[in-house]
Every structure is written in C-alpha cells, then in structure tokens.
Amino acid sequence: MAESVIDHDVKHFAPTADDDDDRLAQLGHVQELQRNYSLWSLGSLSLCLMGTWEALSTVIATALTTGGAPCLFFNLLMSVICTIAIACSLGEIASIFPTAGGQYHWVAALAPSSSRATASWLTGWINVGGQIVLTASAAFASGLQFQALIILNDDSYVPKRWQGLLFYWAILLYAAAMNIWGAKMLPTANLVSGVLHISGFLAILVTLGVMAPKNTASFVFTEVSNSSGWSNDGVSWLVGLLSSVYPLLGYDAACHLAEEMPNATRNVPMAMVGSVTVNGILGLGYCIMILFATGKLDVLLATPTGFPFMQIFLDATQSAAGATVMSLIITLIAAAATVAGVTSTSRTVWAFARDKAVPFDRYFAHVNPASHIPVRAVVLITILQMLLGFIYLGNSTAFNAILSMAILGLYTSYLIPIVYFMVYGRPRLAKHEFGFFKMPKALGLGLNILSCAWLVLCIVFSTFPTFMPVTAQNMNYSTVVMVGWVVLGGVYYVVRGRNKFEIPVVDREARGF
C-alpha cells in the first residue's frame, strides 16, 4: 500500500470555509466538493434515509410473528438506546477525521501498521456493499409500494413482477437524476422531505389514534406470542431484533457528506446523533400507536397489497382514498431515502476511488467541474442497483437475500472502527487531537463497549432465518451474500488493489501510535 503521511497536527478550527479546507488537507485531501449542506439539511437527509417510523410500518407483520407486540416495542427501545450509543461512538471519531471516506478512513488513521491496509480496505469494501443494498432496499420498497397503491384502488389489477421491476427502476432513475441535475436543489429537497417525515408522522398518528379500532394495553406490552416456528421463545425474540434494527440503519450517511458542509467536525456528529435521537423518539411513539391499531395477524399477512400497514390504514379509515394518502407519505419518504442513499453511497465510492481502492479508480474519482458532483460514481451505483433488479425478475428470494446484507454489512463497518478507536485511539490520542464532539473518557469508553456488544449481538442474529423450518424460500442468505461480496473484493485486492491502495493518514509517530 502506498501511504501519504501528513505531518500537521489536528486542531480545532473555527467554522470557516478556509479552515474546513485546511482540516481536510491535514487528512491528506484537497477540497473538490462544494460545502452546500447545513446542519439542518444534513440532519434531514439522515432522518429520511433512516425513515424509522416509515420502516417500522413495513416490518410490523414479521415482528408480530417472531414475538408479538411486546417483542417489537422492547426490541425497538433497546435498539434506540444502543443505536444512540453507536452514533455517539462513530460521531466522536467523525469529529476527529471528517472525510467522505468515513469508516475506512478512520480505520486507516487508527490501526497499527501491521493491519492498517487490509483492515481499512476491508472496512471500506463492506461499507460500500452495505450502502448499495440499503439504498436498493429503499428503492425496492418505494417501487413496490407504488404498485401496491394501484392494487389498493383497483381490485381488477393483477400485479406482475416485471411491472414491479419497472417501478424499482423508475425510483432509481429519479434518485440519480436528482443527484446529477438537481444537485443544487438537494439540500432544500432534503429539508422538505424532513418536514414531510415529521408532519406525516403526526398526521398518521392522529388519524390512527382517532379512527382505528384499538387493541388492549396487555396485547401491546405483555402478550408475547411466537408463531415463527422457533421452539425457543428467547431465540425467536432475538431473531425479531431485525425488525427493530433495520429501521435505524443509515445514519453514517452524515459522515460521508463531511466534505460538503461547513464546520464538519461539529455538524457531522450532531447530525448523526440528532437524527438517531429524533427518529428513535418518533419510532417509539409510532410503534405504540400502530401496535394498538393492528388488526388480526392472519388478515395482515393475507392483504392483497403485500404491505400489512396499508391494510391497517384501510381498516382504520374504511376508505381506499384515506389509506392511499396515508400510505403515500411512507412511499414518498422511501423515495426520498433512495435519493439520500445515492448521495451518501456515491460519496463513499468516490472517496474509495480517490484512494485507488476500486477498479478504474482514476475514472470514478472524477468530480464534474461544473456541478462539483462525482457524477460517474452516481451513475455507477445506479447501474449496479438497476442490475440487481434482474435478480428480482428471475427470483425474488435471491433478490431479498442480497438486500438482507444491509444489516450485516453496515453493522460490520460500524464495529471495526469503534474497536480500533477503543483499543488504539482513545488511550493514545492527546486531548487536542480530538474534535469538537468529545465525550468524557469513562462515558465514551462505556458507550464504545455497549456499542460493540450490541453490534455483535445484532450481527450474529441477523444471520438467523426468521421462520422455521428452513426452506429455500425463507432461508436467510445474508451470510452467503456477505461472504460472496468479500471474496469478490478480496480477489481484486490481492491481485491488484493492495499494490495501489493509498490512504492518507496523519503522522502516527507524532501522536504516539
């Protein structure tokens, strides 16, 4: 690995453009993107990319199957608490190293020389894969929900898989167009989406509260049920973690926009922690309400739309038009999440190419001189995600298997830098080397440990099949997909990547590493 060593000390800078550029230069890069995002627009991007309460709508039936309503609520409560801990842990590192590369750059700056190259590259490769499938899952959800809205309003419509593919492609093309030709509008568009995210939550919460038939409090908080096929209720409960983890994915998007906002050392961690906290509160409130409004599980599973939350809205309003308006809010946020996901993933791919870590790195590291957008990276990930759609056309089980890698990939890319920071960074960094967002040593270490414990727990159980007995249709193939992705990248790394991979790091000897 070729390595650039930067000799400058990391300092606290005032929030000016020149100082942000200086800080980036200390980390080995020059400013190529424009800093157009404010804290509010970046926070809104993270809010909508996570789409916590919207995502909860899509997993409600699975959660009820694996442990009942209490399983979803208490798992979500644990997930919110632990995800805030993870966001704080990652935010503290992002405050020290605010670059678009995010996790892989942090690992390179923290790891000892013996593992620096491999650990950094592996982290980046896994993170790119996780982001690609997370964005694809948002586009897939949005596209199929648009198709389901037709079913909701037209009983004679028979959905075809190829039509769902076209909806999926349409969402991806919209996201790409917004990122290429609507780039200047994106900060404002994210703010508008953030307003819809919160106002839509309030509108649906009030509607369900007033109109929906209600379950009892014991159903929501105490009546545990297990129809997943797992003989052990505890295992079934833990498998249900997936339903509460997935709605809280994607907050690392803020760190990949670090080179596009002023005073990134302060604003990036604030956007990460703030978006998780706000979405966690909204998610818990929405979770309680929708569990009170949930009808019979067999009815939800049999809904012709394929989306149980649409059936809940229809049962509550007794109106296809009312259910359509309510469902459309969730669908539009999924589309906004796709746009945000393309933004975040393209910056990661671009940064990875900038450090010569991917094939054709010089081509994909290009930034359009007129728009200051890595257009080629946007086009690349859009094409890759569109190609994934052909797998859905041939086999929906295989397509869902690829999407299931999102939790495994992203959580692994969160775990690695936290471990390196806990072992090599926190004990050895001088006080002035930390960024704006610095936690007290004891609290920070405690949150690091909690984060690692939760990440490992979720990674392990994200590989378990949701239902038993296991069949070819319900098998959890996330491990197979993850191993395949790592092997694919590993072959490239061994053959060519390791000889040209460049990762700029600050002078390690000056910092006592």
Side-chain angles (χ1 to χ4, degrees):
M1 180 188 74
E3 181 181 297
S4 300
V5 178
I6 310 302
D7 296 322
H8 306 290
D9 284 332
V10 177
K11 303 175 183 177
H12 293 288
F13 287 102
T16 69
D18 289 341
D19 288 341
D20 280 313
D21 294 351
D22 287 344
R23 190 177 190 89
L24 184 60
Q26 291 178 345
L27 299 174
H29 295 302
V30 297
Q31 185 69 40
E32 296 183 77
L33 309 179
Q34 289 185 332
R35 296 186 182 271
N36 295 326
Y37 283 83
S38 66
L39 174 60
W40 293 105
S41 59
L42 183 62
S44 296
L45 181 148
S46 298
L47 280 175
C48 294
L49 180 54
M50 294 166 65
T52 299
W53 71 265
E54 295 90 344
L56 279 169
S57 300
T58 65
V59 300
I60 183 69
T62 301
L64 291 175
T65 300
T66 54
C71 173
L72 178 59
F73 174 73
F74 289 107
N75 278 351
L76 180 63
L77 180 60
M78 288 191 299
S79 188
V80 168
I81 294 171
C82 293
T83 304
I84 291 174
I86 298 168
C88 288
S89 297
L90 295 178
E92 191 170 21
I93 308 173
S95 188
I96 305 171
F97 310 109
T99 73
Q103 291 94 308
Y104 85 86
H105 201 138
W106 306 340
V107 170
L110 294 167
S113 58
S114 59
S115 62
R116 185 184 310 152
T118 303
S120 174
W121 183 89
L122 181 64
T123 303
W125 184 256
I126 291 174
N127 183 240
V128 167
Q131 287 193 68
I132 288 175
V133 297
L134 179 64
T135 305
S137 68
F140 186 60
S142 181
L144 291 193
Q145 284 169 25
F146 275 116
Q147 188 178 31
L149 289 174
I150 301 175
I151 302 173
L152 185 63
N153 291 276
D154 184 0
D155 294 337
S156 64
Y157 172 64
V158 179
K160 303 294 184 181
R161 190 174 293 179
W162 64 267
Q163 295 168 340
L165 174 63
L166 293 180
F167 277 109
Y168 169 68
W169 280 355
I171 298 299
L172 287 174
L173 290 174
Y174 161 73
M178 284 294 295
N179 273 276
I180 296 173
W181 295 288
K184 293 183 179 180
M185 300 167 49
L186 278 181
T188 302
N190 285 319
L191 281 171
V192 172
S193 299
V195 171
L196 178 62
H197 173 71
I198 295 175
S199 61
F201 160 80
L202 294 173
I204 292 178
L205 196 73
V206 171
T207 302
L208 292 179
V210 172
M211 301 185 68
K214 303 299 187 298
N215 294 310
T216 63
S218 61
F219 170 83
V220 175
F221 296 112
T222 62
E223 292 181 14
V224 178
S225 62
N226 178 9
S227 54
S228 65
W230 284 97
S231 58
N232 187 294
D233 289 342
V235 173
S236 181
W237 184 291
L238 290 171
V239 169
L241 281 175
L242 297 181
S243 300
S244 61
V245 168
Y246 178 77
L248 289 164
L249 282 179
Y251 46 91
D252 63 307
C255 73
H256 301 298
L257 275 292
E259 297 177 35
E260 295 177 65
M261 69 178 313
N263 199 16
T265 187
R266 182 195 69 182
N267 290 339
V268 168
M270 288 182 67
M272 293 174 67
V273 177
S275 61
V276 170
T277 302
V278 171
N279 264 349
I281 294 172
L282 297 182
L284 288 169
Y286 182 77
C287 178
I288 293 173
M289 178 54 70
I290 201 167
L291 289 176
F292 271 107
T294 297
K296 294 182 178 180
L297 181 59
D298 55 347
V299 175
L300 298 182
L301 294 174
T303 178
T305 65
F307 289 95
F309 72 86
M310 293 187 181
Q311 188 64 46
I312 294 173
F313 294 165
L314 182 62
D315 293 342
T317 61
Q318 296 297 308
S319 166
T324 298
V325 172
M326 295 170 70
S327 300
L328 194 58
I329 295 172
I330 294 174
T331 304
L332 291 176
I333 293 299
T338 305
V339 176
V342 169
T343 304
S344 172
T345 309
S346 64
R347 275 38 171 197
T348 309
V349 171
W350 165 74
F352 217 31
R354 180 176 61 180
D355 289 322
K356 301 181 180 180
V358 297
F360 310 106
D361 52 88
R362 182 176 299 179
Y363 182 82
F364 292 116
H366 178 265
V367 174
N368 185 283
S371 63
H372 299 279
I373 297 296
V375 173
R376 294 173 184 176
V378 172
V379 173
L380 172 64
I381 63 169
T382 301
I383 291 174
L384 290 176
Q385 289 163 341
M386 293 182 72
L387 291 176
L388 287 178
F390 285 113
I391 299 175
Y392 168 71
L393 192 61
N395 189 317
S396 60
T397 300
F399 182 73
N400 288 327
I402 292 174
L403 299 187
S404 68
M405 176 190 155
I407 293 176
L408 191 57
L410 287 176
Y411 263 32
T412 301
S413 76
Y414 298 168
L415 176 64
I416 296 173
I418 294 176
V419 169
Y420 274 106
F421 183 65
M422 187 168 55
V423 175
Y424 295 103
R426 187 176 296 284
R428 302 182 183 181
L429 282 171
K431 184 177 181 180
H432 72 276
E433 294 178 289
F434 283 84
F436 177 89
F437 186 79
K438 181 185 184 301
M439 294 180 288
K441 186 174 182 179
L443 174 62
L445 180 60
L447 292 180
N448 292 160
I449 294 172
L450 175 60
S451 299
C452 291
W454 178 255
L455 288 168
V456 170
L457 178 70
C458 293
I459 288 171
V460 170
F461 281 97
S462 71
T463 64
F464 280 44
T466 305
F467 302 102
M468 295 290 285
V470 177
T471 66
Q473 285 69 40
N474 66 21
M475 175 62 184
N476 187 334
Y477 295 97
S478 60
T479 304
V480 177
V481 176
M482 180 74 164
V483 170
W485 175 252
V486 172
V487 169
L488 176 66
V491 170
Y492 167 75
Y493 181 73
V494 171
V495 172
R496 181 165 172 77
R498 63 178 177 174
N499 296 320
K500 64 175 184 175
F501 180 33
E502 295 180 355
I503 195 71
V505 295
V506 290
D507 188 345
R508 316 188 78 74
E509 292 184 1
R511 281 161 181 75
F513 278 75

